[in-house]
Amino acid sequence: MKANRKLWVAATVCVAVVAGVTGCSQGDDKAADPFAGLTADAIADKAVETTKAATAFRMNGTGTTDGEEMTVDFSVDSKGTCKGTMQAVKGGKAELIGTGDVSYMKGDDAFWRSSGGEEGASADEAGAMSAMLKGRWLKMPAGSDEDAAAFCDLKTIVKDMEEDTPRKGMTRGADADVDGKSAATLTKKGEKGETTTFYVAKDAAKPYILRVVEAGGKEPGTVTLSDFDKPVTVTAPPAADTVDMEQLMKGAS
């Protein structure tokens, strides 16, 4: 397996370098398990609570929703600052940034046409919206009903994460490697054949959820979490490059 190969390479490097280099153990070749004595369910509880307490993190991965594959790479912090991209094969690609009070979204032609269609607009109306927003950012005030605005709300994200994370009936498997970090593997099998696997950092102080893999169900996907507690820095686009959603809605009415 690729994960095992990474561990083997790391071990080989440690043997080759001078004793005492950071990251190479001179004692036991196996680090103590920070979850020793805990059930898989208890580890899941610790992971969820720790991840909920993070002041920021990055999410990237691919999943399937309503039969369409979506790729997301997104960073958000507790101040409502966020930035990232999302892309669907049929729905196009969009960039999103948030500055706390306002969110901005810029999509390509396919994205705006797809978004317009979801609201019941005609092909001509969706085309007109795409033309108006071409190369420009749609400005959305905080608290708007747009789904995009919720992307910048860390509390909403972690609440959804908590509700969607199984906490009972977990099984611990062999440890794995997630981007160079040792992780405990927790698996939950669903009633319809789906399997959810969580990779939890083997860190006694901060056992974050590092990766979630959903397989076998109607909405398979993989999401990796990183950059915990790292503030997100963004710059709002110039006013000349934006279209105000509130003004746009007033004009439409």
Side-chain angles (χ1 to χ4, degrees), residues 204-225:
K206 295 185 177 181
Y208 291 120
I209 296 175
L210 300 179
R211 181 169 291 163
V212 181
V213 179
E214 184 82 22
K218 294 183 179 180
E219 298 186 344
T222 299
V223 175
T224 299
L225 302 181

Side-chain angles (χ1 to χ4, degrees), residues 191-207:
E191 298 178 353
K192 298 182 180 180
E194 71 276 13
T195 299
T196 305
T197 303
F198 292 87
Y199 297 84
V200 180
K202 292 183 66 178
D203 185 326
K206 295 185 177 181

